[in-house]
Amino acid sequence: MTQIQQVLWELQMDYIGHSYYVSGNAILHALGQHLDPETHTEISSSQGVFVPGQFGKFPAEHSQSGVRPYLGSGLPDVEAYDDLFLQRKAIHPWLLDTRARNALNTHDLRIHGGHPTLCHETIMGRREDQRKQQRTTKWYVHAYLHADDPAVLPLDEDVMEGLQFGGKRNYGYGEVKLKDTQMVDLNELDYSRLEGAETYLIELMTPFVVESEYPEASDHSVPWW
Amino acid sequence: MSGVMLAAFRHDVHKFTGESHNNAREEFAGIRVNQSVPEGADGDAAALSRPQQKQEQTVPTHDDHHRLSLITGETAYDPQKCSHSTIEGEVSELITTDDPQIAHGRWLDSDVAAAFNESVYHPYTSLKYHTLLVGALLDNYRADNTFGNLRLVVDPADDTVSFRTVFSGDRFSLRIDVDDNGCSSPRLGSRPWRSWASTWNRLTAHPLDTDSNKYDMTLDANLRRIQSWSTALQYMEDYAEWRPDR
């Protein structure tokens, strides 16, 4: 039995940090404040992908179909292999063409202390005369947790509350609240589309470190700091 | 020859004047405008930047030709500064030259064209970059370069290739062409679709400093989230103006 835990956090405050994703290390670091050291060392985290809390349409390869009002702000059931990757691509192919998807999928930016910060929500219709039609879209962070010892997962929900990602945490930046979480049993998934394919395209996602201030970093084959 | 390229730079004047495609005037400032562009270049450029099947209002609060900025969420249009006659004057300066190469250069530098969108249904698109894409596609098609052979090529700043340069910034230029001087530039694909992020992701020589510059990283992260070509090219221009570190 191989189980992983899917987690979706909602950004409560703007975020200062890696602008492509929240690194798995940052997620682990945040969880470490709430876990005993034995449990903490068992856990691995994927990168946290930024997801706009928007309406969407399940892509053709997903086990479900149709339009859902809040596809980006919840965790749909995971029944097939493709379902694992629904919210994992930066371009978010499930966003609707009938909405301003390019604007909804790009981070609004503010500046704090000379740094660009990602806004925790996107507000449309900001002019004075549009107040009644204002639409707010919140941003979410989507990640997978894995533990070598199967007894460690799922992590309790209270452990995943009150976390902060990124920098300037003393100012409240990067605060998130838990929106949704569920366990996925990888052995129970439907792999028929994968098994029916003749060729595969494998995408390797890895934090690629080109330089570091950490001492003697070049001797480490896997950057863990 | 020059007439066809000039027609490309004059084909959407009705969007400045607020006329519908069907009711568009035939002349503006004494020259022929709003003619259709040959070789399907207009339709192909449109397919790079916005959905083609459905025509539906994507921003309920906005239904005119003033472009919404991804940076501010608002239009650059200021009724105090941009009177009807000022815009007419700037537009006629943009399109009245008889030299298509000069017209191309004026579009690359144009502010007024950047204030308008290419479709009222998709207000974050940019009329400026739509028109530059139409020109680049048309010039390639006329040289028998089929769409499937076209690439996104990064050039040094100020290195402008007539009609084929679609973006000219302080740090680099972008060009749509078959010839990339051996730089293994990414192809646009077999057919026109909203492939901006997909193409930008496959650039081998990256023009931004994404190793260490926070503002470049943030720009790059957002560029990888955009499908529409004209929206992305306009975002690069707006971002360069917005960023406080340069």
Side-chain angles (χ1 to χ4, degrees), chain A residues 19-20 50 90-92 97-103 105-109 111 114-116 118 124-126 130 133 139 210-211, chain B residues 51 54 56-59 61 70 72-73 124 194 197 210-211 214-215 217-218 220-222 224-228 235 239 242 244:
Chain A
S19 49
Y20 299 88
F50 294 111
I91 197 75
H92 293 301
D97 278 348
T98 51
R99 294 181 171 225
R101 60 185 301 163
N102 296 296
N105 195 36
T106 41
H107 300 279
D108 277 357
L109 307 173
I111 297 163
H115 294 282
L118 309 188
M124 285 194 170
R126 280 190 260 210
Q130 300 174 337
Q133 293 165 289
W139 279 98
V210 286
E211 60 183 12
Chain B
K54 283 188 208 165
E56 217 174 308
Q57 199 70 45
T58 57
V59 180
T61 49
L70 279 188
T72 63
Y124 290 91
R194 282 167 285 151
T210 51
D211 289 343
K214 297 276 186 216
Y215 284 94
M217 289 168 76
T218 307
D220 184 43
N222 268 344
R224 287 166 194 261
R225 299 178 158 274
I226 298 173
Q227 290 183 324
S228 162
Y235 186 61
Y239 195 92
W242 169 81

Short mmCIF file of all heavy atoms in Angstrom, two decimals, chain A residues 19-20 50 90-92 97-103 105-109 111 114-116 118 124-126 130 133 139 210-211, chain B residues 51 54 56-59 61 70 72-73 124 194 197 210-211 214-215 217-218 220-222 224-228 235 239 242 244:
data_model
loop_
_atom_site.label_atom_id
_atom_site.label_comp_id
_atom_site.label_asym_id
_atom_site.label_seq_id
_atom_site.Cartn_x
_atom_site.Cartn_y
_atom_site.Cartn_z
N SER A 19 9.25 32.38 -6.89
CA SER A 19 8.06 32.83 -7.60
C SER A 19 7.46 31.77 -8.51
O SER A 19 6.36 31.94 -9.01
CB SER A 19 8.38 34.09 -8.41
OG SER A 19 9.55 33.91 -9.17
N TYR A 20 8.19 30.66 -8.72
CA TYR A 20 7.64 29.62 -9.59
C TYR A 20 6.77 28.64 -8.80
O TYR A 20 5.82 28.09 -9.33
CB TYR A 20 8.77 28.84 -10.26
CG TYR A 20 9.65 29.69 -11.15
CD1 TYR A 20 10.75 30.35 -10.63
CD2 TYR A 20 9.36 29.82 -12.50
CE1 TYR A 20 11.56 31.13 -11.44
CE2 TYR A 20 10.17 30.59 -13.33
CZ TYR A 20 11.27 31.25 -12.78
OH TYR A 20 12.07 32.01 -13.58
N PHE A 50 1.22 26.87 -7.29
CA PHE A 50 0.21 27.93 -7.11
C PHE A 50 -0.99 27.64 -8.01
O PHE A 50 -0.83 27.43 -9.22
CB PHE A 50 0.80 29.29 -7.46
CG PHE A 50 1.87 29.74 -6.52
CD1 PHE A 50 3.19 29.82 -6.95
CD2 PHE A 50 1.57 30.06 -5.21
CE1 PHE A 50 4.20 30.22 -6.08
CE2 PHE A 50 2.57 30.46 -4.33
CZ PHE A 50 3.88 30.55 -4.77
N ALA A 90 1.68 24.81 -14.28
CA ALA A 90 1.59 26.26 -14.09
C ALA A 90 0.56 26.88 -15.03
O ALA A 90 -0.09 27.88 -14.68
CB ALA A 90 2.95 26.91 -14.31
N ILE A 91 0.36 26.31 -16.20
CA ILE A 91 -0.56 26.92 -17.18
C ILE A 91 -2.02 26.61 -16.83
O ILE A 91 -2.94 27.26 -17.31
CB ILE A 91 -0.20 26.45 -18.61
CG1 ILE A 91 -0.84 27.36 -19.66
CG2 ILE A 91 -0.60 25.01 -18.85
CD1 ILE A 91 -0.17 28.69 -19.81
N HIS A 92 -2.25 25.64 -15.96
CA HIS A 92 -3.60 25.23 -15.54
C HIS A 92 -4.58 25.11 -16.70
O HIS A 92 -5.49 25.94 -16.87
CB HIS A 92 -4.13 26.17 -14.45
CG HIS A 92 -3.35 26.05 -13.17
ND1 HIS A 92 -3.23 24.86 -12.48
CD2 HIS A 92 -2.56 26.93 -12.49
CE1 HIS A 92 -2.46 25.02 -11.43
NE2 HIS A 92 -2.01 26.26 -11.42
N ASP A 97 -12.07 29.15 -21.03
CA ASP A 97 -11.85 30.17 -22.06
C ASP A 97 -12.86 31.30 -21.97
O ASP A 97 -12.66 32.37 -22.56
CB ASP A 97 -11.96 29.53 -23.45
CG ASP A 97 -10.67 28.84 -23.86
OD1 ASP A 97 -9.64 29.06 -23.17
OD2 ASP A 97 -10.68 28.09 -24.85
N THR A 98 -13.97 31.06 -21.28
CA THR A 98 -15.00 32.10 -21.19
C THR A 98 -14.69 33.12 -20.10
O THR A 98 -15.47 34.04 -19.87
CB THR A 98 -16.37 31.45 -20.88
OG1 THR A 98 -16.21 30.58 -19.76
CG2 THR A 98 -16.85 30.65 -22.07
N ARG A 99 -13.55 32.94 -19.41
CA ARG A 99 -13.10 33.92 -18.43
C ARG A 99 -11.72 34.42 -18.83
O ARG A 99 -11.07 33.81 -19.67
CB ARG A 99 -13.05 33.29 -17.04
CG ARG A 99 -14.44 32.93 -16.60
CD ARG A 99 -14.48 32.33 -15.22
NE ARG A 99 -15.87 32.24 -14.82
CZ ARG A 99 -16.35 32.59 -13.64
NH1 ARG A 99 -15.54 33.03 -12.70
NH2 ARG A 99 -17.63 32.50 -13.37
N ALA A 100 -11.27 35.49 -18.19
CA ALA A 100 -9.98 36.09 -18.55
C ALA A 100 -8.86 35.24 -17.95
O ALA A 100 -8.20 35.63 -17.00
CB ALA A 100 -9.92 37.53 -18.04
N ARG A 101 -8.64 34.06 -18.53
CA ARG A 101 -7.77 33.07 -17.91
C ARG A 101 -6.32 33.53 -17.77
O ARG A 101 -5.66 33.17 -16.80
CB ARG A 101 -7.85 31.74 -18.66
CG ARG A 101 -7.43 31.82 -20.11
CD ARG A 101 -7.66 30.47 -20.81
NE ARG A 101 -6.92 29.40 -20.17
CZ ARG A 101 -7.17 28.11 -20.35
NH1 ARG A 101 -8.16 27.74 -21.15
NH2 ARG A 101 -6.44 27.19 -19.78
N ASN A 102 -5.85 34.35 -18.70
CA ASN A 102 -4.45 34.81 -18.59
C ASN A 102 -4.28 35.75 -17.40
O ASN A 102 -3.25 35.72 -16.73
CB ASN A 102 -4.01 35.49 -19.88
CG ASN A 102 -3.99 34.54 -21.05
OD1 ASN A 102 -3.22 33.59 -21.06
ND2 ASN A 102 -4.87 34.75 -22.01
N ALA A 103 -5.30 36.56 -17.15
CA ALA A 103 -5.22 37.48 -16.01
C ALA A 103 -5.42 36.73 -14.70
O ALA A 103 -4.75 37.01 -13.70
CB ALA A 103 -6.27 38.58 -16.15
N ASN A 105 -4.66 33.69 -14.09
CA ASN A 105 -3.59 32.73 -13.81
C ASN A 105 -2.22 33.40 -13.63
O ASN A 105 -1.22 32.72 -13.46
CB ASN A 105 -3.50 31.69 -14.93
CG ASN A 105 -2.66 30.49 -14.52
OD1 ASN A 105 -2.68 30.08 -13.37
ND2 ASN A 105 -1.89 29.96 -15.46
N THR A 106 -2.17 34.73 -13.68
CA THR A 106 -0.90 35.41 -13.38
C THR A 106 -1.03 36.11 -12.02
O THR A 106 -2.10 36.59 -11.67
CB THR A 106 -0.55 36.46 -14.46
OG1 THR A 106 -1.74 37.17 -14.82
CG2 THR A 106 0.02 35.80 -15.69
N HIS A 107 0.06 36.10 -11.30
CA HIS A 107 0.04 36.71 -9.97
C HIS A 107 0.05 38.23 -10.09
O HIS A 107 0.87 38.79 -10.80
CB HIS A 107 1.30 36.32 -9.17
CG HIS A 107 1.44 34.84 -8.97
ND1 HIS A 107 0.75 34.17 -7.99
CD2 HIS A 107 2.17 33.92 -9.60
CE1 HIS A 107 1.06 32.89 -8.03
NE2 HIS A 107 1.92 32.70 -9.00
N ASP A 108 -0.86 38.88 -9.37
CA ASP A 108 -0.72 40.32 -9.19
C ASP A 108 0.49 40.54 -8.27
O ASP A 108 0.78 39.70 -7.42
CB ASP A 108 -1.98 40.91 -8.55
CG ASP A 108 -3.06 41.18 -9.59
OD1 ASP A 108 -2.79 40.97 -10.78
OD2 ASP A 108 -4.17 41.60 -9.20
N LEU A 109 1.16 41.65 -8.45
CA LEU A 109 2.42 41.87 -7.73
C LEU A 109 2.36 43.15 -6.91
O LEU A 109 1.74 44.13 -7.31
CB LEU A 109 3.59 41.97 -8.73
CG LEU A 109 3.70 40.81 -9.72
CD1 LEU A 109 4.78 41.09 -10.76
CD2 LEU A 109 4.00 39.50 -9.01
N ILE A 111 5.19 45.46 -4.10
CA ILE A 111 6.60 45.56 -3.75
C ILE A 111 6.71 45.75 -2.24
O ILE A 111 6.01 46.60 -1.67
CB ILE A 111 7.26 46.72 -4.50
CG1 ILE A 111 7.22 46.45 -6.00
CG2 ILE A 111 8.71 46.92 -4.04
CD1 ILE A 111 7.47 47.65 -6.86
N GLY A 114 11.65 46.45 -1.48
CA GLY A 114 12.45 46.24 -2.68
C GLY A 114 12.24 44.88 -3.33
O GLY A 114 12.81 44.61 -4.38
N HIS A 115 11.45 44.00 -2.71
CA HIS A 115 11.20 42.68 -3.29
C HIS A 115 9.83 42.62 -3.95
O HIS A 115 8.86 43.16 -3.41
CB HIS A 115 11.22 41.60 -2.20
CG HIS A 115 12.55 41.41 -1.56
ND1 HIS A 115 13.57 40.72 -2.17
CD2 HIS A 115 13.04 41.84 -0.37
CE1 HIS A 115 14.62 40.73 -1.38
NE2 HIS A 115 14.34 41.40 -0.29
N PRO A 116 9.73 41.91 -5.09
CA PRO A 116 8.40 41.66 -5.65
C PRO A 116 7.69 40.62 -4.80
O PRO A 116 8.28 39.60 -4.42
CB PRO A 116 8.69 41.12 -7.05
CG PRO A 116 10.07 40.55 -7.00
CD PRO A 116 10.80 41.29 -5.91
N LEU A 118 4.06 38.22 -4.31
CA LEU A 118 2.89 37.71 -5.02
C LEU A 118 1.65 37.97 -4.17
O LEU A 118 1.62 37.60 -3.00
CB LEU A 118 3.01 36.21 -5.29
CG LEU A 118 4.31 35.70 -5.95
CD1 LEU A 118 4.16 34.22 -6.30
CD2 LEU A 118 4.65 36.50 -7.20
N MET A 124 -10.83 41.71 -9.62
CA MET A 124 -11.22 42.28 -10.92
C MET A 124 -12.38 43.23 -10.73
O MET A 124 -13.28 42.95 -9.94
CB MET A 124 -11.61 41.17 -11.87
CG MET A 124 -10.42 40.45 -12.39
SD MET A 124 -10.90 39.45 -13.79
CE MET A 124 -9.27 38.98 -14.34
N GLY A 125 -12.40 44.31 -11.50
CA GLY A 125 -13.44 45.31 -11.38
C GLY A 125 -13.13 46.27 -10.25
O GLY A 125 -13.90 46.38 -9.29
N ARG A 126 -12.00 46.94 -10.33
CA ARG A 126 -11.54 47.75 -9.20
C ARG A 126 -12.00 49.19 -9.25
O ARG A 126 -11.81 49.93 -8.29
CB ARG A 126 -10.01 47.72 -9.14
CG ARG A 126 -9.53 46.45 -8.48
CD ARG A 126 -8.07 46.55 -8.21
NE ARG A 126 -7.33 45.83 -9.22
CZ ARG A 126 -6.17 45.27 -8.97
NH1 ARG A 126 -5.61 45.36 -7.80
NH2 ARG A 126 -5.54 44.62 -9.92
N GLN A 130 -17.50 50.07 -10.29
CA GLN A 130 -17.67 48.63 -10.52
C GLN A 130 -17.74 47.83 -9.22
O GLN A 130 -17.77 46.61 -9.24
CB GLN A 130 -16.49 48.09 -11.34
CG GLN A 130 -16.34 48.73 -12.70
CD GLN A 130 -15.07 48.28 -13.39
OE1 GLN A 130 -14.14 47.84 -12.73
NE2 GLN A 130 -15.05 48.39 -14.70
N GLN A 133 -19.76 44.76 -8.79
CA GLN A 133 -19.47 43.60 -9.64
C GLN A 133 -18.07 43.06 -9.41
O GLN A 133 -17.57 42.25 -10.18
CB GLN A 133 -19.61 44.00 -11.11
CG GLN A 133 -21.02 44.33 -11.51
CD GLN A 133 -21.04 45.05 -12.82
OE1 GLN A 133 -20.64 46.22 -12.94
NE2 GLN A 133 -21.46 44.36 -13.87
N TRP A 139 -5.66 32.65 -4.18
CA TRP A 139 -4.61 31.74 -4.63
C TRP A 139 -4.42 30.60 -3.62
O TRP A 139 -4.52 30.82 -2.41
CB TRP A 139 -3.28 32.49 -4.79
CG TRP A 139 -3.18 33.23 -6.07
CD1 TRP A 139 -3.42 34.56 -6.25
CD2 TRP A 139 -2.81 32.70 -7.35
NE1 TRP A 139 -3.23 34.90 -7.58
CE2 TRP A 139 -2.86 33.77 -8.27
CE3 TRP A 139 -2.46 31.43 -7.82
CZ2 TRP A 139 -2.56 33.60 -9.63
CZ3 TRP A 139 -2.17 31.27 -9.17
CH2 TRP A 139 -2.22 32.34 -10.05
N VAL A 210 22.09 26.32 -9.06
CA VAL A 210 23.27 26.70 -9.83
C VAL A 210 24.34 27.37 -8.96
O VAL A 210 25.52 27.32 -9.26
CB VAL A 210 22.94 27.62 -11.02
CG1 VAL A 210 22.28 26.84 -12.13
CG2 VAL A 210 22.04 28.76 -10.59
N GLU A 211 23.91 27.98 -7.87
CA GLU A 211 24.89 28.51 -6.95
C GLU A 211 24.25 28.63 -5.57
O GLU A 211 23.04 28.69 -5.45
CB GLU A 211 25.45 29.87 -7.41
CG GLU A 211 24.40 30.94 -7.56
CD GLU A 211 24.98 32.23 -8.09
OE1 GLU A 211 26.13 32.23 -8.55
OE2 GLU A 211 24.28 33.25 -8.03
N PRO B 51 -9.28 32.71 -27.94
CA PRO B 51 -10.09 31.60 -28.43
C PRO B 51 -10.83 32.00 -29.70
O PRO B 51 -11.28 33.15 -29.81
CB PRO B 51 -11.08 31.34 -27.29
CG PRO B 51 -10.57 32.09 -26.12
CD PRO B 51 -9.71 33.19 -26.62
N LYS B 54 -15.72 30.47 -29.54
CA LYS B 54 -16.76 31.23 -28.84
C LYS B 54 -16.39 32.69 -28.79
O LYS B 54 -15.26 33.04 -28.53
CB LYS B 54 -16.86 30.74 -27.39
CG LYS B 54 -17.59 29.45 -27.23
CD LYS B 54 -17.77 29.21 -25.74
CE LYS B 54 -17.83 27.74 -25.45
NZ LYS B 54 -17.66 27.45 -24.04
N GLU B 56 -17.39 35.48 -26.44
CA GLU B 56 -18.13 35.74 -25.21
C GLU B 56 -17.33 36.72 -24.37
O GLU B 56 -16.10 36.67 -24.35
CB GLU B 56 -18.25 34.41 -24.45
CG GLU B 56 -19.56 34.22 -23.75
CD GLU B 56 -19.65 32.82 -23.15
OE1 GLU B 56 -19.42 31.82 -23.88
OE2 GLU B 56 -19.91 32.73 -21.95
N GLN B 57 -18.05 37.59 -23.67
CA GLN B 57 -17.42 38.58 -22.81
C GLN B 57 -16.69 37.87 -21.67
O GLN B 57 -17.33 37.23 -20.84
CB GLN B 57 -18.55 39.46 -22.24
CG GLN B 57 -18.11 40.78 -21.70
CD GLN B 57 -17.67 41.70 -22.81
OE1 GLN B 57 -18.34 41.79 -23.82
NE2 GLN B 57 -16.54 42.33 -22.62
N THR B 58 -15.36 37.98 -21.60
CA THR B 58 -14.63 37.27 -20.55
C THR B 58 -14.47 38.11 -19.29
O THR B 58 -14.18 37.58 -18.23
CB THR B 58 -13.24 36.82 -21.03
OG1 THR B 58 -12.52 37.98 -21.47
CG2 THR B 58 -13.35 35.81 -22.16
N VAL B 59 -14.61 39.43 -19.41
CA VAL B 59 -14.59 40.31 -18.23
C VAL B 59 -15.91 41.08 -18.21
O VAL B 59 -16.10 42.01 -19.00
CB VAL B 59 -13.39 41.29 -18.26
CG1 VAL B 59 -13.41 42.19 -17.03
CG2 VAL B 59 -12.08 40.53 -18.33
N THR B 61 -17.23 43.34 -16.51
CA THR B 61 -17.24 44.78 -16.25
C THR B 61 -16.58 45.59 -17.35
O THR B 61 -16.46 46.80 -17.24
CB THR B 61 -16.51 45.08 -14.93
OG1 THR B 61 -15.25 44.40 -14.96
CG2 THR B 61 -17.32 44.61 -13.74
N LEU B 70 -2.35 43.63 -17.29
CA LEU B 70 -2.14 42.55 -16.32
C LEU B 70 -1.48 43.10 -15.06
O LEU B 70 -1.59 42.53 -13.98
CB LEU B 70 -1.24 41.45 -16.90
CG LEU B 70 -1.85 40.40 -17.82
CD1 LEU B 70 -0.83 39.32 -18.10
CD2 LEU B 70 -3.10 39.79 -17.24
N THR B 72 -1.87 46.34 -13.65
CA THR B 72 -2.73 47.18 -12.80
C THR B 72 -4.17 46.70 -12.75
O THR B 72 -4.93 47.10 -11.87
CB THR B 72 -2.76 48.63 -13.31
OG1 THR B 72 -3.36 48.62 -14.62
CG2 THR B 72 -1.36 49.22 -13.40
N GLY B 73 -4.58 45.86 -13.70
CA GLY B 73 -5.97 45.46 -13.80
C GLY B 73 -6.86 46.55 -14.36
O GLY B 73 -8.07 46.43 -14.40
N TYR B 124 -7.59 41.79 -22.18
CA TYR B 124 -6.17 41.78 -21.80
C TYR B 124 -5.26 41.55 -23.02
O TYR B 124 -4.04 41.57 -22.88
CB TYR B 124 -5.90 40.70 -20.74
CG TYR B 124 -6.50 41.03 -19.40
CD1 TYR B 124 -7.78 40.62 -19.07
CD2 TYR B 124 -5.80 41.78 -18.45
CE1 TYR B 124 -8.35 40.93 -17.84
CE2 TYR B 124 -6.34 42.09 -17.22
CZ TYR B 124 -7.62 41.66 -16.91
OH TYR B 124 -8.17 41.98 -15.69
N ARG B 194 -2.89 29.02 -28.87
CA ARG B 194 -2.40 29.92 -27.81
C ARG B 194 -1.21 29.25 -27.12
O ARG B 194 -1.30 28.75 -26.00
CB ARG B 194 -3.55 30.23 -26.85
CG ARG B 194 -4.50 31.27 -27.41
CD ARG B 194 -5.76 31.34 -26.60
NE ARG B 194 -6.62 30.20 -26.88
CZ ARG B 194 -7.48 29.68 -26.00
NH1 ARG B 194 -7.59 30.20 -24.80
NH2 ARG B 194 -8.21 28.64 -26.33
N ALA B 197 3.14 30.16 -23.60
CA ALA B 197 3.91 29.55 -22.50
C ALA B 197 4.66 28.32 -23.00
O ALA B 197 5.82 28.10 -22.65
CB ALA B 197 2.99 29.18 -21.34
N THR B 210 17.22 34.57 -14.69
CA THR B 210 16.32 33.86 -13.79
C THR B 210 17.08 33.09 -12.71
O THR B 210 16.46 32.38 -11.91
CB THR B 210 15.42 32.88 -14.57
OG1 THR B 210 16.24 32.07 -15.40
CG2 THR B 210 14.42 33.62 -15.42
N ASP B 211 18.41 33.20 -12.70
CA ASP B 211 19.18 32.54 -11.64
C ASP B 211 19.14 33.34 -10.34
O ASP B 211 19.09 32.78 -9.26
CB ASP B 211 20.64 32.37 -12.05
CG ASP B 211 20.79 31.32 -13.12
OD1 ASP B 211 19.83 30.53 -13.29
OD2 ASP B 211 21.82 31.30 -13.79
N LYS B 214 15.37 38.70 -8.73
CA LYS B 214 14.00 38.42 -8.27
C LYS B 214 12.95 38.96 -9.24
O LYS B 214 11.91 38.33 -9.44
CB LYS B 214 13.77 39.07 -6.90
CG LYS B 214 14.65 38.51 -5.81
CD LYS B 214 14.07 37.26 -5.22
CE LYS B 214 14.87 36.77 -4.03
NZ LYS B 214 14.93 35.31 -3.98
N TYR B 215 13.21 40.14 -9.79
CA TYR B 215 12.20 40.71 -10.70
C TYR B 215 12.14 39.94 -12.01
O TYR B 215 11.06 39.75 -12.58
CB TYR B 215 12.48 42.20 -10.93
CG TYR B 215 12.06 43.03 -9.74
CD1 TYR B 215 12.97 43.38 -8.74
CD2 TYR B 215 10.74 43.42 -9.58
CE1 TYR B 215 12.58 44.10 -7.63
CE2 TYR B 215 10.32 44.15 -8.48
CZ TYR B 215 11.25 44.49 -7.51
OH TYR B 215 10.84 45.20 -6.40
N MET B 217 12.83 36.73 -12.24
CA MET B 217 12.19 35.44 -11.91
C MET B 217 10.68 35.59 -11.85
O MET B 217 9.93 34.74 -12.35
CB MET B 217 12.70 34.93 -10.55
CG MET B 217 14.13 34.45 -10.58
SD MET B 217 14.77 34.18 -8.91
CE MET B 217 13.99 32.65 -8.47
N THR B 218 10.22 36.67 -11.24
CA THR B 218 8.78 36.87 -11.11
C THR B 218 8.14 37.09 -12.48
O THR B 218 7.08 36.55 -12.79
CB THR B 218 8.51 38.07 -10.19
OG1 THR B 218 9.21 37.85 -8.96
CG2 THR B 218 7.04 38.22 -9.88
N ASP B 220 9.33 35.97 -15.32
CA ASP B 220 9.40 34.68 -16.00
C ASP B 220 8.31 33.73 -15.50
O ASP B 220 7.64 33.04 -16.29
CB ASP B 220 10.78 34.07 -15.78
CG ASP B 220 10.97 32.77 -16.54
OD1 ASP B 220 10.56 32.71 -17.72
OD2 ASP B 220 11.51 31.81 -15.96
N ALA B 221 8.10 33.71 -14.18
CA ALA B 221 7.08 32.82 -13.61
C ALA B 221 5.70 33.17 -14.18
O ALA B 221 4.92 32.29 -14.54
CB ALA B 221 7.07 32.93 -12.08
N ASN B 222 5.40 34.46 -14.29
CA ASN B 222 4.11 34.85 -14.85
C ASN B 222 4.04 34.57 -16.35
O ASN B 222 3.00 34.17 -16.86
CB ASN B 222 3.82 36.32 -14.56
CG ASN B 222 3.03 36.50 -13.27
OD1 ASN B 222 2.44 35.55 -12.75
ND2 ASN B 222 3.00 37.71 -12.75
N ARG B 224 5.27 32.17 -17.88
CA ARG B 224 5.01 30.73 -18.05
C ARG B 224 3.57 30.34 -17.70
O ARG B 224 3.20 29.19 -17.78
CB ARG B 224 5.99 29.92 -17.19
CG ARG B 224 7.40 29.94 -17.75
CD ARG B 224 8.42 29.44 -16.74
NE ARG B 224 9.76 29.77 -17.17
CZ ARG B 224 10.58 28.92 -17.78
NH1 ARG B 224 10.20 27.69 -18.01
NH2 ARG B 224 11.79 29.30 -18.15
N ARG B 225 2.77 31.34 -17.28
CA ARG B 225 1.37 31.09 -16.92
C ARG B 225 0.42 31.66 -17.96
O ARG B 225 -0.79 31.62 -17.79
CB ARG B 225 1.07 31.75 -15.57
CG ARG B 225 1.91 31.20 -14.46
CD ARG B 225 1.64 31.90 -13.15
NE ARG B 225 2.05 31.02 -12.08
CZ ARG B 225 1.28 30.07 -11.56
NH1 ARG B 225 0.04 29.92 -11.97
NH2 ARG B 225 1.73 29.28 -10.63
N ILE B 226 0.96 32.28 -19.03
CA ILE B 226 0.13 32.98 -20.01
C ILE B 226 0.09 32.18 -21.31
O ILE B 226 1.11 31.77 -21.83
CB ILE B 226 0.72 34.40 -20.29
CG1 ILE B 226 0.70 35.22 -19.00
CG2 ILE B 226 -0.05 35.09 -21.40
CD1 ILE B 226 1.40 36.57 -19.13
N GLN B 227 -1.11 31.99 -21.85
CA GLN B 227 -1.25 31.28 -23.13
C GLN B 227 -1.19 32.22 -24.33
O GLN B 227 -0.74 31.85 -25.40
CB GLN B 227 -2.61 30.58 -23.19
CG GLN B 227 -2.79 29.41 -22.27
CD GLN B 227 -4.15 28.79 -22.49
OE1 GLN B 227 -5.13 29.49 -22.75
NE2 GLN B 227 -4.22 27.48 -22.39
N SER B 228 -1.73 33.43 -24.12
CA SER B 228 -1.96 34.34 -25.24
C SER B 228 -0.69 35.09 -25.63
O SER B 228 -0.05 35.73 -24.79
CB SER B 228 -3.04 35.35 -24.82
OG SER B 228 -3.03 36.48 -25.66
N TYR B 235 2.77 42.20 -21.73
CA TYR B 235 3.15 42.11 -20.32
C TYR B 235 4.64 42.38 -20.15
O TYR B 235 5.05 43.06 -19.20
CB TYR B 235 2.77 40.72 -19.77
CG TYR B 235 2.99 40.58 -18.27
CD1 TYR B 235 2.31 41.40 -17.38
CD2 TYR B 235 3.87 39.63 -17.75
CE1 TYR B 235 2.50 41.27 -16.01
CE2 TYR B 235 4.05 39.49 -16.38
CZ TYR B 235 3.37 40.32 -15.51
OH TYR B 235 3.56 40.19 -14.16
N TYR B 239 5.84 45.32 -17.85
CA TYR B 239 6.65 44.94 -16.69
C TYR B 239 7.95 45.75 -16.64
O TYR B 239 8.39 46.18 -15.57
CB TYR B 239 6.96 43.44 -16.75
CG TYR B 239 7.46 42.84 -15.46
CD1 TYR B 239 6.59 42.27 -14.55
CD2 TYR B 239 8.83 42.82 -15.16
CE1 TYR B 239 7.05 41.70 -13.37
CE2 TYR B 239 9.30 42.26 -13.98
CZ TYR B 239 8.40 41.70 -13.08
OH TYR B 239 8.87 41.14 -11.92
N TRP B 242 7.15 48.93 -15.19
CA TRP B 242 6.68 48.87 -13.80
C TRP B 242 7.81 48.60 -12.80
O TRP B 242 7.85 49.17 -11.71
CB TRP B 242 5.63 47.75 -13.68
CG TRP B 242 5.28 47.41 -12.26
CD1 TRP B 242 4.41 48.10 -11.45
CD2 TRP B 242 5.79 46.31 -11.49
NE1 TRP B 242 4.35 47.47 -10.21
CE2 TRP B 242 5.19 46.38 -10.21
CE3 TRP B 242 6.69 45.28 -11.76
CZ2 TRP B 242 5.46 45.46 -9.19
CZ3 TRP B 242 6.96 44.37 -10.76
CH2 TRP B 242 6.35 44.46 -9.49
N PRO B 244 10.80 48.43 -10.34
CA PRO B 244 11.51 49.56 -9.74
C PRO B 244 13.03 49.40 -9.74
O PRO B 244 13.74 50.33 -9.38
CB PRO B 244 11.00 49.55 -8.30
CG PRO B 244 10.65 48.13 -8.03
CD PRO B 244 10.27 47.51 -9.33
#
